[in-house]
Amino acid sequence: MSDRIVLRSLTFTGPDKVSAALTFGDKLTLIWGASNTGKSFTLKALDFMFGGSKALPDINERQGYDTAWLALTLPKEGDVTLSRALSGGAFSLHQGHVTAPVAGENARTLQPKHDAVADGNLSALLLTEVGLRGKEVATNAFGQKRPLSFRDLGLIYLVDETSIQIERSPIEGGQRDARTTERSVFRLLLTGLDDSALVAVEDPKTFNAAKQVRLEVVDDMIAEIEAAIEAEYPDTEDLEDQLNRLESSIEGASASFATLQTSIRGLMAEKQTLARAIPDASSRLDEVNLHIDRFEQLQEVYASDIDRLESLEEAGFLLGLSAERQCPLCGAAPAAQVHAHDHQDIALVREAALVEIAKIRRQSEDLASTLATLRDEQSLLGDELPRLTDRLDKLEADIADLTPQVAQSQSDLGQIVAARDQARRGLALLAQRDELSRRRGGYEGAKATPKADRPVLALAGSITHEFAQIVSGVLEQWGFPGEHHVSFDDETYDLKIDGKARVANGKGVRAVTHAAFKVALLLFCREKGLPHPGFLVLDTPLLTYRDPLKTPKFGELEDDERALAATSLKDRFFDHLASLEIDAQFVILENVDPPTGLETRAHLEVFSGGDGRRGLFPV
């Protein structure tokens, strides 16, 4: 399959409108007709269908049509059709050559804006088809670059009637900012090498602007610092010594403060201990006193019980002694005496009293021992409490004396630290000012990248010479007057023909030589096997054959145009394009009569303006 894009047809459709279709031949197509029949509109429509954002002219003939269909044969995709609303927007990509949506077809949507990364845009598709996807082009002389867009090739494959005669390089569109990119595209086509390897250097204008901004920022910062130094440090000479002295003072003051802190912390800790011990001892003394009182009462009870039991025992003893004697009251003999209890019962009571007395005495002895212990503790606590209270009073007095000293020491240390920090800040400001001054000196002395270090974006002389020879051959084939000595001007990226700048000719000669430039470029790429869209649409390349009365907008013929019009260049122009055997397609939009018999070697579309096909749109 060919590696070129082939235009097959351009069709306009609309509801209830007869389709307006224009077909293209595989090699050479001449769209011939009078003015205002749609030839230039055809070129604008092709530009629109290749991603142009400019709205189509709102001519009366297109009223009622809403969609354009451009049938193409692509190297990889094969036969496809692009459709787009005449109001603009995205494209639909259909398989095959169609002029209406196919039922059941899922047409791909392609965005008109180029995206080097994504696939869903027309530019990426067409660049892929012609082998230029991923290429980069320089945008300025300093090596900045961007991805190539298919729109960048527009000047290469579409030439309108204004551009073809204008006084500027054929590969430039007239926008000064775009010149470097346009020349990079031309260089890419002639060499097959893009600018992706370029590493940009800084633009002097950008560099100087950035330098000025940096200097202004640094100056502002220095001024701010100097104002602070002047306000806070009238004498900066002694700041370093001040800092050293203050550092030494801080060491002494810190040690003194630490000692005082340690002392007062010890006193506070002891005070806390005493604050807990004194209430505990006082409470314990109260408990001991209470126990002693109760135990002393109990001891008295024990003593009373013993006295009572001893009396009972003594009474029993005495009763035992008088049991065998006469009654001392009535004198009755022992046998005649009557008793409620006998002598055995009294003995038992006496014995029980003795046992109980012994038991109580043991308990009393235990209680006496406990009382002794409590009295010892009572005595100890009685002595300890005043001592603890006196110590607490002493601690509080010591703390009260020490607290102002600690506060004063802390205040002194804080003042020294603040003075040290202030000295440090002063030295930091001085250091910052020195650093900014040093940086400013660096900015001041920085130079933009010299011109010699910028990337060379020129074409090699051998390549431009070879291209110029191709142009010379084309002109010779066309029978262009002169010796056909063609050279490439590296400054203007244009041609000199027989020593005369191409743009110095009349508009008709410029149109022919512009066409020769673009035809030669396509031939050059084909012969070298370099990427090229593979088609070329030229609007009015034979302007020099115009009739000034029919086309007054182009003015009278100049001398060189008259000389050219007197030659057979018109016929030889078509003969040459029709005879080319390279894999390329040419579409010529003209209003001059075609040479006789051209219809046998080319595809002709005639816009009569009257009978037959009136123009692009049927009326």
Side-chain angles (χ1 to χ4, degrees):
M1 183 175 287
S2 172
D3 60 352
R4 66 184 172 108
I5 297 172
V6 184
L7 309 180
R8 296 303 184 189
S9 66
L10 176 64
T11 305
F12 297 88
T13 61
D16 302 324
K17 297 290 291 186
V18 177
S19 297
L22 184 64
T23 59
F24 304 99
D26 190 59
K27 294 289 187 178
L28 174 62
T29 297
L30 171 62
I31 300 173
W32 169 55
S35 298
N36 300 322
T37 53
K39 297 191 302 299
S40 295
F41 186 91
T42 299
L43 187 140
K44 290 182 173 66
L46 288 173
D47 183 55
F48 180 75
M49 292 305 292
F50 279 115
S53 58
K54 191 174 181 180
L56 289 172
D58 189 22
I59 59 176
N60 291 332
E61 290 84 350
R62 58 162 282 195
Q63 298 304 315
Y65 292 93
D66 60 3
T67 307
W69 305 77
L70 178 62
L72 302 170
T73 298
L74 301 178
K76 297 180 176 62
E77 293 277 349
D79 291 337
V80 297
T81 300
L82 291 169
S83 68
R84 190 184 193 188
L86 296 186
S87 54
F91 294 86
S92 292
L93 179 68
H94 310 267
Q95 294 301 312
H97 293 158
V98 300
T99 56
V102 178
E105 181 198 28
N106 187 18
R108 285 166 55 190
T109 298
L110 298 174
Q111 297 301 322
K113 186 176 181 180
H114 176 69
D115 187 331
V117 178
D119 291 329
N121 62 92
L122 179 63
S123 177
L125 171 71
L126 297 177
L127 288 175
T128 301
E129 293 290 336
V130 298
L132 289 172
R133 179 83 182 270
K135 301 296 184 183
E136 293 184 305
V137 288
T139 57
N140 60 30
F142 310 102
Q144 291 182 327
K145 58 197 177 186
R146 65 164 172 78
L148 176 73
S149 163
F150 195 76
R151 295 295 299 165
D152 292 325
L153 302 171
L155 292 173
I156 304 302
Y157 59 79
L158 292 179
V159 185
D160 61 47
E161 66 174 351
T162 300
S163 299
I164 203 167
Q165 58 180 290
I166 206 163
E167 298 179 20
R168 65 170 178 251
S169 167
I171 54 95
E172 295 177 358
Q175 298 296 322
R176 185 177 180 82
D177 293 343
R179 178 177 296 170
T180 300
T181 302
E182 291 163 347
R183 293 184 176 188
S184 296
V185 172
F186 181 58
R187 190 170 59 254
L188 167 62
L189 293 175
L190 285 187
T191 63
L193 300 175
D194 69 345
D195 296 322
S196 58
L198 284 179
V199 177
V201 298
E202 197 164 18
D203 178 355
K205 187 182 295 183
T206 303
F207 173 84
N208 290 329
K211 175 181 175 179
Q212 188 59 36
V213 170
R214 290 190 187 104
L215 287 173
E216 289 176 1
V217 170
V218 169
D219 286 344
D220 288 345
M221 294 173 71
I222 290 175
E224 187 175 341
I225 290 172
E226 288 183 337
I229 291 173
E230 184 177 354
E232 300 176 38
Y233 306 94
D235 181 11
T236 59
E237 296 294 331
D238 193 35
L239 273 179
E240 191 72 39
D241 292 338
Q242 280 185 38
L243 180 61
N244 292 333
R245 290 195 297 272
L246 288 168
E247 293 284 8
S248 298
S249 298
I250 285 174
E251 290 181 9
S254 296
S256 176
F257 177 65
T259 301
L260 288 171
Q261 268 195 321
T262 303
S263 298
I264 201 165
R265 282 174 182 166
L267 296 176
M268 292 297 293
E270 188 178 357
K271 178 184 175 182
Q272 288 179 350
T273 302
L274 288 176
R276 290 191 297 270
I278 290 174
D280 290 346
S282 178
S283 177
R284 178 58 184 167
L285 181 58
D286 291 342
E287 289 179 5
V288 169
N289 288 335
L290 181 61
H291 288 322
I292 288 174
D293 288 342
R294 288 177 178 173
F295 290 167
E296 285 177 348
Q297 292 175 12
L298 182 58
Q299 194 71 294
E300 290 175 358
V301 172
Y302 283 162
S304 175
D305 288 345
I306 290 172
D307 289 344
R308 179 178 55 80
L309 291 172
E310 285 177 344
S311 297
L312 183 62
E313 189 275 338
E314 185 179 1
F317 175 75
L318 292 176
L319 285 174
L321 291 178
S322 60
E324 299 299 331
R325 294 179 184 174
Q326 293 179 339
C327 178
L329 296 178
C330 66
Q337 296 175 10
V338 178
H339 299 282
H341 302 283
D342 60 16
H343 289 289
Q344 290 295 331
D345 292 336
I346 293 172
L348 290 174
V349 170
R350 183 181 169 216
E351 184 177 350
L354 290 173
V355 171
E356 186 66 20
I357 289 170
K359 175 184 174 184
I360 292 174
R361 280 179 175 164
R362 287 194 301 273
Q363 292 176 339
S364 178
E365 289 172 359
D366 292 340
L367 185 60
S369 176
T370 301
L371 276 171
T373 301
L374 288 173
R375 287 191 181 100
D376 290 342
E377 186 177 358
Q378 182 187 46
S379 176
L380 184 63
L381 289 172
D383 295 339
E384 184 68 10
L385 268 175
R387 188 184 65 78
L388 293 176
T389 303
D390 291 344
R391 178 57 185 164
L392 180 60
D393 293 341
K394 179 68 168 55
L395 285 173
E396 289 178 342
D398 291 344
I399 291 172
D401 290 342
L402 204 54
T403 298
Q405 297 179 43
V406 173
Q408 184 61 48
S409 178
Q410 186 176 24
S411 176
D412 293 344
L413 178 60
Q415 290 179 6
I416 298 172
V417 169
R420 188 271 313 271
D421 292 344
Q422 181 70 359
R424 281 183 175 176
R425 169 177 153 75
L427 291 171
L429 287 173
L430 292 176
Q432 192 175 359
R433 183 189 63 183
D434 294 344
E435 171 59 22
L436 288 172
S437 297
R438 186 196 63 76
R439 196 181 302 175
R440 190 188 189 288
Y443 293 153
E444 186 73 31
K447 303 291 184 186
T449 303
K451 191 172 183 179
D453 291 343
R454 297 177 192 171
V456 177
L457 301 178
L459 276 162
S462 59
I463 292 177
T464 56
H465 174 73
E466 192 173 357
F467 171 67
Q469 299 318 298
I470 299 289
V471 178
S472 175
V474 169
L475 292 175
E476 185 176 359
Q477 289 290 326
W478 293 356
F480 188 82
E483 300 297 324
H484 312 127
H485 292 159
V486 180
S487 61
F488 187 82
D489 188 332
D490 294 332
E491 293 296 324
T492 63
Y493 268 56
D494 207 336
L495 303 173
K496 286 184 178 179
I497 302 173
D498 293 333
K500 182 179 180 181
R502 190 190 67 83
V503 296
N505 293 284
K507 56 176 69 72
V509 177
R510 292 197 297 270
V512 168
T513 52
H514 185 127
F517 188 110
K518 295 293 173 64
V519 170
L521 178 59
L522 202 164
L523 295 177
F524 184 93
C525 292
R526 280 288 171 264
E527 290 179 6
K528 299 291 183 183
L530 297 170
H532 187 286
F535 67 93
L536 175 61
V537 181
L538 298 171
D539 189 359
T540 323
L542 301 175
L543 180 64
T544 191
Y545 291 93
R546 68 185 180 278
D547 183 345
L549 296 178
K550 293 182 179 178
T551 54
K553 65 178 181 178
F554 297 123
E556 294 291 337
L557 294 175
E558 297 181 33
D559 292 342
D560 56 353
E561 292 182 276
R562 289 193 188 89
L564 185 61
T567 69
S568 59
L569 184 142
K570 181 184 68 173
D571 294 344
R572 297 181 64 172
F573 169 83
F574 287 113
D575 289 343
H576 177 239
L577 295 183
S579 66
L580 286 173
E581 295 182 354
I582 63 168
D583 201 14
Q585 183 182 32
F586 300 95
V587 177
I588 309 300
L589 305 168
E590 262 298 350
N591 55 11
V592 298
D593 295 340
T596 303
L598 182 64
E599 66 275 12
T600 62
R601 294 172 291 154
H603 178 79
L604 265 61
E605 291 281 354
V606 181
F607 296 167
S608 66
D611 296 336
R613 178 169 187 166
R614 178 176 177 78
L616 176 62
F617 293 96
V619 177

